[in-house]
Amino acid sequence: MPAKPSIAIPIVDGMTLFEIGMPLEALGYDWDHDASPLYDVVLCGDLRGVRVHGGPRLTPQRPMAALAEAGTVLVPAIRPGEPVSPTLVRELRRAAAGGARMVSLCTGAFALAEAGLLDGRRATTHWRWAELFRRTFPQVDLDPRAIYVDDGVLTSAGSAAGLDLCLHLIRTDHGQHAANTIARNLVIASHRDGDQAQYVAADPL
């Protein structure tokens, strides 16, 4: 049996369990014993443990340096407005230089931008942090309305929009049928166009 595509998820203090759990469940969960998991997904970070938002501590399977060994590196949301871990920035640059596909969910785009990996590219992030992102990284072509953007480096909007990007990865790598199967198991729509607005502002009834 051929090896599954590898996805490394770097985790650092302050991340949320939701943003880490989405790609673990969408990309690495054993939904179908005959066809999944579709990827070999590993968490990378400080092997002594990483304290996520709210207090729980996660123990990564691999050190942060293992990002360079993965075919895809997927960065969950980080805390915007705070310094990005220099170790994370260094290892993101090293992984990208080695040819890894680079992906971020939500404010993980801040880490990719800090590493210089979004310069001159179209990207998105959570609408709430769009203005901060623009001020901090004017060299990035930010689209604050998009659910996700695939411009060589892939970025998604906030929170559950990360699942849309995960399904986009599955469609790209494994086809529409596989994406439909995972979406059905997750009980979500199999496809929302990446150019849809992140949110609709409406007055309450």
Short mmCIF file of all heavy atoms in Angstrom, two decimals, residues 27 126 139 165:
data_model
loop_
_atom_site.label_atom_id
_atom_site.label_comp_id
_atom_site.label_asym_id
_atom_site.label_seq_id
_atom_site.Cartn_x
_atom_site.Cartn_y
_atom_site.Cartn_z
N LEU A 27 -8.78 15.52 8.26
CA LEU A 27 -7.72 14.97 7.41
C LEU A 27 -7.12 13.67 7.94
O LEU A 27 -6.60 12.88 7.16
CB LEU A 27 -6.60 16.00 7.25
CG LEU A 27 -7.04 17.37 6.70
CD1 LEU A 27 -5.90 18.36 6.76
CD2 LEU A 27 -7.59 17.24 5.29
N HIS A 126 -9.11 35.58 9.42
CA HIS A 126 -10.38 35.90 10.07
C HIS A 126 -10.71 37.38 9.86
O HIS A 126 -9.86 38.25 10.05
CB HIS A 126 -10.26 35.59 11.56
CG HIS A 126 -11.57 35.53 12.28
ND1 HIS A 126 -12.42 36.61 12.38
CD2 HIS A 126 -12.18 34.51 12.94
CE1 HIS A 126 -13.49 36.28 13.07
NE2 HIS A 126 -13.37 35.00 13.43
N GLN A 139 2.59 44.01 2.44
CA GLN A 139 3.10 43.37 1.23
C GLN A 139 2.25 42.18 0.80
O GLN A 139 2.48 41.60 -0.27
CB GLN A 139 4.56 42.92 1.45
CG GLN A 139 4.73 41.79 2.45
CD GLN A 139 4.82 42.26 3.90
OE1 GLN A 139 4.32 43.33 4.25
NE2 GLN A 139 5.46 41.46 4.75
N LEU A 165 -11.38 24.73 3.84
CA LEU A 165 -10.04 24.59 3.26
C LEU A 165 -9.56 23.14 3.36
O LEU A 165 -8.93 22.63 2.43
CB LEU A 165 -9.06 25.53 3.94
CG LEU A 165 -7.63 25.53 3.39
CD1 LEU A 165 -7.61 25.69 1.87
CD2 LEU A 165 -6.80 26.62 4.04
#
